[in-house]
Amino acid sequence: MSGKTLKPTLSGSRNKTRKRDEKERYEPAVFRDAIITGLEDVGNNHDQILRYLCETATGKLDVKRYGEVLLDVLFVGGIIAPGGAIEGNVRTDICLTRQSHEDMKSFTNIYIQFIRRYKWLQKSLGEEIRKIIMVMRVCLNENERGLLGSATAYLLIEGIIPPNLLSGLTQEHLLKDDVAVHFATSLFRTWLQDET
């Protein structure tokens, strides 16, 4: 009988738990909805989007915990579920892949400024773009893939993401329907236009 015996307790008493032992629930859908609501309140004004991301998102919402969800929403407009589909078909139009080609550079500059202010997001950004490239055949149409290629070029030019993430373009499922070719064409066209 080496085990401890429990002491009797009075009814109505509660067990005390320490704050450090309490765990917050991981609710990416709630975070996604809050970010989408904030972005839609701000509109498509690029200065207001940057201000919202820097002040509101980092102050009121737990961006460190939900960094992957934030980047999903900013790039494709919703959470990318396993397999590449957009989770719950909840998608906002204020995201990178829903911009016009003319607005792409200024919209990408929002992300560049945001990542430079919060360096801890830079590693997550590289992993997120690698993930989006792997599933872009499922979750993005041809125009959106071209926009993603252009944005990737701007991020590569600024040194925000490493170039080795492009090695994923050699996957068979991306080469099959010229998905990788269209993405790479858009990326290099943007790169050459920006360098000249």
Side-chain angles (χ1 to χ4, degrees):
M1 298 193 45
S2 62
K4 289 186 176 181
T5 60
L6 295 175
K7 295 181 181 179
T9 60
L10 296 172
S11 63
S13 68
R14 62 182 176 93
N15 293 334
K16 292 183 180 179
T17 58
R18 295 188 181 268
K19 247 186 179 176
R20 70 171 183 240
D21 296 335
E22 294 177 6
K23 302 245 189 243
E24 283 187 43
R25 295 184 62 181
Y26 183 71
E27 296 175 336
V30 174
F31 181 81
R32 173 204 58 207
D33 294 341
I35 291 292
I36 288 175
T37 302
L39 288 174
E40 289 177 352
D41 289 346
V42 168
N44 215 1
N45 183 342
H46 295 180
D47 294 331
Q48 294 292 327
I49 292 172
L50 180 62
R51 188 172 300 123
Y52 170 73
L53 289 175
C54 292
E55 295 172 2
T56 308
T58 55
K60 295 178 182 176
L61 301 172
D62 192 2
V63 175
K64 283 196 176 191
R65 186 171 186 190
Y66 296 105
E68 180 181 348
V69 175
L70 174 68
L71 294 172
D72 275 348
V73 170
L74 293 178
F75 274 88
V76 297
I79 299 174
I80 298 176
I86 302 296
E87 190 174 289
N89 288 329
V90 177
R91 200 166 179 191
T92 182
D93 287 334
I94 304 173
C95 65
L96 188 112
T97 56
R98 298 282 178 105
Q99 298 301 309
S100 65
H101 284 285
E102 296 80 30
D103 290 340
M104 181 53 59
K105 185 167 185 169
S106 63
F107 204 80
T108 306
N109 282 335
I110 294 171
Y111 297 159
I112 292 169
Q113 291 172 1
F114 183 62
I115 296 296
R116 285 193 175 147
R117 288 184 187 173
Y118 303 100
K119 287 293 235 184
W120 48 268
L121 268 175
Q122 191 166 358
K123 183 178 179 186
S124 298
L125 178 65
E127 294 169 1
E128 190 63 27
I129 290 180
R130 178 176 281 124
K131 180 180 86 171
I132 293 171
I133 287 173
M134 288 298 141
V135 298
M136 70 180 165
R137 182 171 184 249
V138 176
C139 67
L140 301 176
N141 62 34
E142 190 171 329
N143 183 42
E144 292 172 340
R145 289 181 210 132
L147 292 171
L148 180 65
S150 297
T152 304
Y154 291 128
L155 293 171
L156 284 168
I157 290 168
E158 293 293 327
I160 301 294
I161 56 174
N164 65 354
L165 65 87
L166 297 177
S167 63
L169 289 174
T170 59
Q171 299 287 327
E172 185 177 326
H173 69 280
L174 295 175
L175 295 172
K176 190 168 146 183
D177 295 328
D178 291 335
V179 172
V181 172
H182 182 69
F183 176 85
T185 303
S186 175
L187 185 144
F188 290 120
R189 182 181 301 126
T190 303
W191 186 300
L192 291 172
Q193 286 173 353
D194 194 65
E195 292 295 317
T196 57

